[in-house]
Amino acid sequence: MKKISKFQFPISNFEAIKETLRYATGLTKIWDKNTPAQLIFFVTTRCNARCRHCFYWRELNQKIKEELTLAEIQKISKSMGKIFWFFVSGGEPFLRQDLVQICQTFYKNNQPKSIIIPTNGILVEKIIKDVEKIAGSCPQAKIVIQVSIDEIGTRHDQIRGFPGNFAKIKKLMPKLKSLQAKYKNLAIQANIVFCRYNQERIIKIYDYIYKKFGIDNICISLVRGEPKEIGAKDVDLKKYWHAHQHLRKTHRFAHYTPILSYLITKKEDMQVEVFLKSFKEKRAVIPCLATRQTVVLYPNGDLAVCELRQERYGNLREVNYNFAKLWHSPQAQKLREKVSGCFCTQECVYTANVFLNPWVWPMFLKYLIFGRIYG
């Protein structure tokens, strides 16, 4: 396996420096109170899989007629300022026929540095068609396609509830790699949900994906929320820790410049230590910025604090699609005060928690130097 050197900051050319500086501008979101740094948009409840560990299972394939139209989404986007990360979610995002236009809308109006789109990989041709259009029309954004792979072969199909799912992923990956040769802003990564059904084989699964597909990054996310099968959360956290120790032997986040890759990798490693300490002590180890730097938009226009909580700021349809009006409303402020102090394993939120909170920077610096926070 390709090893990553410790404390190595090679910047090879002007483009690498320029991209690093472009991402560094995201730190200005620390002082931006008008629009959060990251938007997580559940573009649809429709899904063609039936994942046993899904935390969104109650909403899947429900109230489809209530989903925001493209015209409504455009109004919402125009009412928002700049965002740094645009996370698309679902359901299966590629089931929306206007997914390309949605991404183009937020790229034009809100100028995200990264557009992250997860997929179960079932709709191979639709995915390739849409990804090419998105990558080509959003050249200044990093387009990250995150393919869900929880096991190998039929074991994966059993977890995902779709026979033949893994075979479709094997067809999809080389097609994505071919697109990547054409679009330099395109990145491919896999996400493994660590759960009861794969924890005994997690290292074998990781090594298979790493060697077979040769993609930019592989994430291991801890199962969260209230999954369809509650037994999915019956995990051994020691195995989760060992799995992440194994990750450290490989080069990750290869789609970023070397210094960004180094910092994001270290953030991911520290994050695992924070997760485990939070679970052990039943408290937030670092402050959560979800109510200030992250916002969740649901298919029907509901604006929420976090995808793991039920509370809502309100519905954007009821305020004429004016994001700022709802974001700065009295009920939003009351809700922020109510939910402060909670903790979870939502990896997307932790990115903002570390990089956009100066109070956490000393802890991160300690981790960069010593490779640990505690002990």
Side-chain angles (χ1 to χ4, degrees), residues 201-248:
R201 290 167 40 86
I202 194 70
I203 292 176
K204 184 175 182 178
I205 297 164
Y206 181 89
D207 288 348
Y208 175 90
I209 297 170
Y210 189 91
K211 295 174 182 177
K212 176 71 175 178
F213 299 122
I215 53 181
D216 300 301
N217 185 50
I218 306 170
C219 299
I220 297 179
S221 302
L222 190 61
V223 60
R224 62 180 184 260
E226 297 180 4
K228 183 178 180 180
E229 295 183 10
I230 196 63
K233 294 189 73 174
D234 184 16
V235 296
D236 185 340
L237 292 178
K238 289 183 179 179
K239 289 185 173 66
Y240 174 69
W241 169 257
H242 289 310
H244 274 275
Q245 297 308 300
H246 185 71
L247 261 67
R248 295 186 181 197

Side-chain angles (χ1 to χ4, degrees), residues 133-164:
K133 289 180 179 178
I134 293 168
S137 60
C138 306
Q140 297 303 310
K142 184 72 72 177
I143 311 301
V144 183
I145 304 303
Q146 183 171 282
V147 184
S148 299
I149 308 177
D150 295 327
E151 251 289 4
I152 303 169
T154 57
R155 288 187 175 97
H156 173 80
D157 300 347
Q158 290 166 4
I159 293 175
R160 290 275 160 177
F162 189 96

Side-chain angles (χ1 to χ4, degrees), residues 29 32 34-36 76-84 106 109-112 323-324:
K29 295 299 294 183
D32 183 359
N34 295 318
T35 303
I76 293 169
S77 174
K78 288 179 180 178
S79 75
M80 300 177 70
K82 292 182 180 180
I83 57 177
F84 194 87
F106 283 96
N109 297 331
N110 312 106
Q111 302 171 38
F323 176 85

Side-chain angles (χ1 to χ4, degrees), residues 225-364:
E226 297 180 4
K228 183 178 180 180
E229 295 183 10
I230 196 63
K233 294 189 73 174
D234 184 16
V235 296
D236 185 340
L237 292 178
K238 289 183 179 179
K239 289 185 173 66
Y240 174 69
W241 169 257
H242 289 310
H244 274 275
Q245 297 308 300
H246 185 71
L247 261 67
R248 295 186 181 197
K249 301 174 184 178
T250 60
H251 182 60
R252 292 172 281 159
F253 298 99
H255 47 293
Y256 292 110
T257 64
I259 190 168
L260 289 174
S261 174
Y262 177 84
L263 292 173
I264 296 171
T265 297
K266 290 301 181 182
K267 187 277 300 183
E268 293 281 311
D269 294 342
M270 186 185 87
Q271 179 176 286
V272 174
E273 193 170 335
V274 169
F275 285 171
L276 295 177
K277 189 171 180 63
S278 292
F279 273 108
K280 182 180 179 180
E281 300 183 1
K282 306 297 181 185
R283 66 179 181 88
V285 175
I286 63 175
C288 182
L289 300 183
T291 59
R292 291 170 174 81
Q293 292 293 4
T294 301
V295 69
V296 179
L297 175 60
Y298 284 107
N300 68 343
D302 278 354
L303 208 62
V305 174
C306 174
E307 60 187 32
L308 298 181
R309 298 187 66 106
Q310 297 299 314
E311 297 92 342
R312 303 288 191 267
Y313 293 121
N315 190 285
L316 285 166
R317 282 174 168 151
E318 297 173 358
V319 292
N320 197 28
Y321 311 101
N322 188 328
F323 176 85
K325 185 173 182 179
L326 198 52
W327 182 248
H328 295 293
S329 64
Q331 67 262 33
Q333 184 54 40
K334 289 180 181 178
L335 192 52
R336 290 186 184 101
E337 295 170 359
K338 176 184 176 183
V339 303
S340 63
C342 63
F343 65 94
C344 66
T345 61
Q346 219 295 28
E347 288 85 359
C348 300
V349 171
Y350 269 82
T351 300
N353 289 350
V354 173
F355 290 134
L356 298 182
N357 189 346
W359 293 102
V360 177
W361 292 352
M363 178 188 289
F364 188 44

Side-chain angles (χ1 to χ4, degrees), residues 13 25 31 42 62 92 101 178 295 342 358:
N13 53 46
T25 61
W31 301 279
F42 285 69
Q62 302 295 317
E92 168 55 38
Q101 291 81 3
S178 295
V295 69
C342 63

